[in-house]
């Protein structure tokens, strides 16, 4: 039996069982109380059993883990010490909860007798994340006695299951609080441990996890999605990027047109160019109104989409991969389970109203030919930068999209038909905050080794998580190109109600919030290569031929005129369809 102290025994068993459940990456933020867990993951990394990523900022650590799990759907444990270190995970926990991203939080803690008595770095960590976690469990303080190995391993299995949504829930964050008593470091001359700390033979898990949703018999029979001829499929942000491909394939089978927000990985043949600009053509839309809108994912970008869903002559149905579904407008009349998609292919095959479907496809082409030149001529602008990135990325690239203007510019400027095959695009849309985007993008890039990776974000988003660039010597650095669109402040507000002319006097201080930051110095202080890009051709070349390591490309754009450009794009789309009628 191994000669270990109790804290290190628990840590070693927990890490071993996580690896048995498929965990291959762990993020560690350094601390004293968490030392046993740190030694355990370091030992596993040295043995080649997992990749260890050390970060000095817990908030960045949480978002790094979230970004890694966003695409792989495999939970990435985050290890922290006690106290405020735990609280710094809260923003990423909330994002993971609302976006259904699997996440495991291993937070070291003082034993119960050191809580509430003024002990250093001790606070109440029990249930600190409230209802944001799918499951919470606090280990008992490890002791030198029999009967703990199986219990520890069983708890790890339950935590992995809950974080991935098994057996029938939603993926999300799970919190394991780990009270540890000194000694917290490896010690010599320990008595022999009173029981075996080995796991099951042949690397098997203590708890066998089997997802019932993967059983083929669940797909053979059951309800199908009705073959409504005039159906518009609208794709939003789904928990798993691959799910967009599944619903898009159903649309292809039926011949239905697709309007998609810029998330997921899917065949884009039927997706309407320039996002929801087609909805600005009100007369055309009235003449080609869908009977039904079939929604997949959360829709968070365009108010015209929300208006379409509220139209009294449109039936709204939703397909959900989870136990709940988004319906902020209270308009959904029918909810389909995700497995209904697979068994509906035959039922909806070629059911589209051919003339109506052809009209939508033709309108998409008209808009693309009319709006594309407007966006190109607007350089330097957010839409022009976003369009350049989207159309220049190589096949199988990954793109992490920041919130606010960045994602909306991408939505309205891109032509899905001009995007390379296999591109996957994700963003933190659970709560759509500016938190942690740099770290999340680095996480995504780390989770897809060998694939080109990019991030698109504004200056305030970049500054909010600039510590994400603090990657220490010896740590794995992905190949990631960050495109920083700098309009020196909160440009998104200029396109919203606060940007109205009558409210211009207080705007600059309380919404515009210019910082005047020199981003070259910011990057230099963190040892990250930086380049100021002034022309579109250079940006296109840098995107098409990505470099090694993390690098930042800054493109300066004016904050004024953004509202007017979006209005021009909308008018151009509407006028083009009016002229083609």
């Amino acid at each position: 039996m191994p000669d270990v102290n109790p804290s290190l025994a628990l840590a070693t068993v927990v890490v071993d069982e996580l690896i048995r459940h498929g965990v291959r990456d762990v993020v560690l933020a350094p601390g004293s109380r968490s030392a046993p867990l740190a030694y355990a993951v370091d030992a596993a990394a040295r043995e080649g059993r997992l990749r260890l990523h050390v970060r000095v900022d817990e908030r960045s650590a949480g978002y790094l883990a979230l970004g890694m799990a966003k695409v792989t759907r495999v939970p990435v444990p985050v290890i922290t010490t006690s106290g405020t270190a735990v609280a710094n995970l809260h923003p990423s926990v909330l994002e993971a909860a609302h976006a259904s991203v699997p996440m495991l939080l291993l937070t070291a803690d003082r034993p119960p007798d050191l809580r509430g008595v003024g002990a250093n770095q001790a606070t109440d960590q029990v249930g600190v994340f409230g209802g944001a976690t799918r499951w919470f469990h606090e280990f008992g303080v490890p002791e030198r006695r029999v009967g703990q190995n199986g219990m520890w391993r069983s708890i790890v299995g339950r935590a992995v299951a809950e974080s991935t949504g098994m057996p029938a829930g939603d993926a999300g964050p799970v919190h394991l609080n780990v009270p540890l008593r000194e000694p917290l470091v490896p010690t010599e001359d320990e008595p022999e441990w009173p029981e075996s700390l080995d796991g099951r033979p042949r690397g098997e898990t203590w708890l066998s996890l089997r997802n019932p949703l993967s059983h083929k018999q669940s797909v053979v029979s059951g309800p199908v999605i009705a073959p409504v001829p005039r159906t518009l499929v609208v794709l939003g942000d789904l928990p798993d990027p691959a799910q967009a491909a599944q619903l898009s394939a159903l649309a292809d089978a039926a011949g239905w047109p697709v309007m998609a927000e810029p998330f997921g990985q899917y065949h884009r043949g039927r997706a309407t160019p320039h996002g929801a600009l087609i909805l600005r053509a009100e007369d055309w839309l009235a003449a080609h109104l869908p009977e039904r809108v079939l929604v997949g994912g959360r829709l968070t970008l365009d108010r015209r989409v929300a208006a379409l869903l509220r139209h009294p002559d449109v039936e709204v149905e939703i397909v959900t991969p989870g136990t709940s579904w988004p319906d902020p407008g209270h308009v959904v009349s029918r909810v389909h389970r995700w497995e209904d998609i697979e068994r509906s292919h035959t039922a909806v095959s070629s059911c589209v109203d051919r003339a109506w479907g052809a009209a939508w496809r033709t309108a998409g082409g008209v808009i693309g030919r009319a709006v594309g030149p407007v966006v190109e001529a607007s350089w330097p602008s957010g839409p022009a930068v976003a369009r350049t990135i989207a159309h220049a990325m190589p096949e199988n690239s990954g793109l992490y999209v920041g919130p606010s203007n960045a994602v909306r510019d991408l939505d309205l400027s891109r032509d899905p038909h001009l995007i390379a095959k296999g591109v996957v695009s994700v963003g933190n849309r659970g709560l759509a905050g500016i938190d942690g985007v740099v770290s999340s993008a680095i996480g995504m890039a780390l989770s897809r080794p060998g694939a080109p990776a990019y991030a698109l974000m504004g200056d305030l988003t970049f500054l909010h998580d600039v510590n994400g660039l603090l990657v220490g010597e010896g740590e794995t650095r992905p190949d990631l190109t960050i495109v920083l669109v700098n309009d020196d402040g909160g440009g998104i507000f200029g396109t919203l109600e606060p940007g109205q002319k009558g409210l211009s006097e207080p705007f600059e201080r309380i919404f515009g919030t210019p910082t005047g930051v020199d981003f070259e110095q910011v990057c230099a202080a963190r040892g990250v290569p930086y380049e100021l890009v002034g022309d579109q051709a250079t940006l296109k070349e840098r995107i098409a031929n990505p470099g090694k390591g993390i690098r930042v490309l800054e493109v300066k754009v004016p904050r004024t005129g953004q509202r007017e450009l979006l209005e021009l794009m909308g008018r151009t789309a509407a006028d083009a369809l009016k002229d083609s009628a």
Side-chain angles (χ1 to χ4, degrees):
M1 302 300 172
D3 299 338
V4 293
N5 60 54
S7 291
L8 194 59
L10 180 147
T12 302
V13 167
V14 166
V15 171
D16 177 67
E17 193 66 20
L18 285 170
I19 294 170
R20 289 166 180 258
H21 278 285
V23 167
R24 292 296 177 265
D25 291 275
V26 173
V27 181
L28 168 70
S32 176
R33 186 60 52 169
S34 56
L37 292 164
Y39 284 115
V41 292
D42 178 68
R46 291 175 184 271
E47 295 167 0
R49 302 181 69 200
L50 55 77
R51 289 194 305 175
L52 176 60
H53 310 273
V54 179
R55 294 297 187 271
V56 297
D57 184 324
E58 286 85 5
R59 190 172 67 173
S60 293
Y63 276 104
L64 179 72
L66 183 144
M68 297 180 77
K70 185 83 175 179
V71 177
T72 66
R73 312 303 298 167
V74 177
V76 177
V78 186
I79 297 172
T80 75
T81 191
S82 60
T84 57
V86 180
N88 276 310
L89 296 176
H90 211 149
S92 60
V93 170
L94 289 173
E95 174 62 30
H98 287 271
S100 295
V101 178
M103 195 174 192
L104 277 174
L105 315 162
L106 294 175
T107 60
D109 201 354
R110 265 61 178 165
D113 54 285
L114 291 180
R115 300 175 193 167
V117 294
N120 183 45
Q121 218 171 9
T123 188
D124 185 1
Q125 296 176 194
V126 175
V128 67
F129 302 118
T133 54
R134 300 294 188 258
W135 189 59
F136 168 80
H137 182 85
E138 180 172 57
F139 285 93
V141 179
E143 301 171 343
R144 189 176 297 280
R145 61 177 176 81
V146 298
Q148 296 173 107
N149 179 44
M151 177 179 63
W152 292 338
R153 292 181 183 274
S154 177
I155 290 167
V156 169
R158 173 72 179 269
V160 172
E162 296 283 356
S163 72
T164 55
M166 288 191 260
D170 298 330
V174 163
H175 181 195
L176 294 179
N177 202 48
V178 190
L180 298 170
R181 199 180 298 281
E182 297 175 348
L184 302 171
V185 299
T187 48
E188 297 180 355
D189 301 324
E190 290 286 341
E192 185 176 341
W193 196 262
E195 67 172 335
S196 171
L197 293 179
D198 292 340
R200 297 200 188 279
R202 297 180 298 278
E204 295 179 5
T205 58
W206 200 267
L207 174 66
S208 179
L209 304 180
R210 192 176 182 189
N211 189 348
L213 298 183
S214 67
H215 296 180
K216 281 297 179 183
Q217 58 264 34
S218 68
V219 177
V220 172
S221 61
V224 297
I225 298 170
V228 178
R230 294 191 175 189
T231 293
L232 172 66
V233 174
V234 179
L235 288 170
D237 182 43
L238 285 154
D240 185 345
Q243 290 167 337
Q246 297 167 14
L247 187 51
S248 182
L250 182 70
D252 283 349
W256 296 327
V258 175
M259 192 163 61
E261 293 186 348
F263 308 114
Q265 184 175 16
Y266 55 92
H267 175 63
R268 295 164 168 84
R270 297 184 185 276
T272 302
H274 300 284
L277 279 185
I278 194 171
L279 302 184
R280 271 70 167 173
E282 296 178 357
D283 292 341
W284 183 92
L285 181 62
H288 301 88
L289 195 69
E291 300 173 51
R292 176 180 68 180
V293 174
L294 185 64
V295 178
R298 295 178 66 241
L299 303 170
T300 61
L301 298 184
D302 201 299
R303 296 179 182 183
R304 298 297 181 108
V305 175
L308 173 63
L309 300 184
R310 292 194 301 268
H311 195 289
D313 296 328
V314 174
E315 192 83 2
V316 179
E317 300 180 10
I318 195 164
V319 191
T320 179
T323 62
S324 62
W325 57 93
D327 184 19
H330 308 287
V331 294
V332 172
S333 62
R334 181 168 298 167
V335 178
H336 303 279
R337 298 187 62 175
W338 200 255
E339 55 265 33
D340 294 349
I341 293 174
E342 184 175 340
R343 54 174 167 252
S344 297
H345 277 252
T346 300
V348 305
S349 178
S350 301
C351 73
V352 69
D353 179 322
R354 295 184 183 275
W356 179 84
W360 272 82
R361 288 194 299 275
T362 300
V366 169
I367 288 177
R369 290 187 293 273
V371 176
V374 173
V375 177
E376 295 285 343
S378 70
W379 180 278
S381 71
V385 172
R387 179 181 176 88
T388 301
I389 297 169
H391 295 175
M393 287 188 298
E395 291 186 1
N396 301 315
S397 296
L399 175 64
Y400 222 98
V401 192
S404 302
N405 272 344
V407 67
R408 288 168 174 82
D409 288 343
L410 180 65
D411 183 42
L412 297 180
S413 67
R414 81 203 193 289
D415 186 338
H417 305 91
L418 301 179
I419 297 176
K421 294 180 180 179
V423 170
V424 59
S425 174
V426 293
N428 292 341
R429 301 307 300 172
L431 287 180
I434 68 172
D435 318 59
V437 177
V438 173
S439 299
S440 295
I442 292 173
M444 178 206 68
L446 285 169
S447 74
R448 307 178 77 243
Y454 306 88
L456 171 64
M457 66 191 73
D459 51 303
L460 296 185
T461 298
F462 181 84
L463 288 171
H464 205 273
D465 188 32
V466 73
N467 273 358
L469 298 177
L470 295 176
V471 182
E473 289 292 328
E475 295 299 312
T476 304
R477 288 175 178 262
D479 298 329
L480 172 68
T481 299
I482 299 174
V483 180
L484 163 60
V485 182
N486 181 10
D487 62 7
D488 195 23
I492 182 67
F493 298 111
T495 68
L496 303 174
E497 287 83 357
Q500 300 174 70
K501 291 182 179 180
L503 301 175
S504 59
E505 185 175 347
F507 179 88
E508 193 67 0
R509 183 182 184 192
I510 63 176
F511 291 106
T513 58
T515 63
V517 168
D518 185 332
F519 287 99
E520 183 174 11
Q521 293 184 6
V522 169
C523 293
R526 289 154 181 82
V528 174
Y530 161 93
E531 181 181 0
L532 178 63
V533 176
D535 62 274
Q536 189 176 25
T538 299
L539 179 62
K540 186 179 297 184
E541 192 279 332
R542 298 293 188 270
I543 299 301
N545 301 284
K548 293 294 183 180
I550 302 172
R551 63 174 179 170
V552 174
L553 306 178
E554 179 186 2
V555 183
K556 293 184 177 181
V557 303
R559 184 142 44 84
T560 58
Q562 295 183 27
R563 188 187 194 100
E564 291 76 11
L565 175 58
L566 295 179
E567 291 173 351
L568 174 61
M569 292 165 61
R571 288 197 307 272
T572 301
D575 292 345
L577 289 184
K578 187 181 299 181
D579 293 340
S580 67

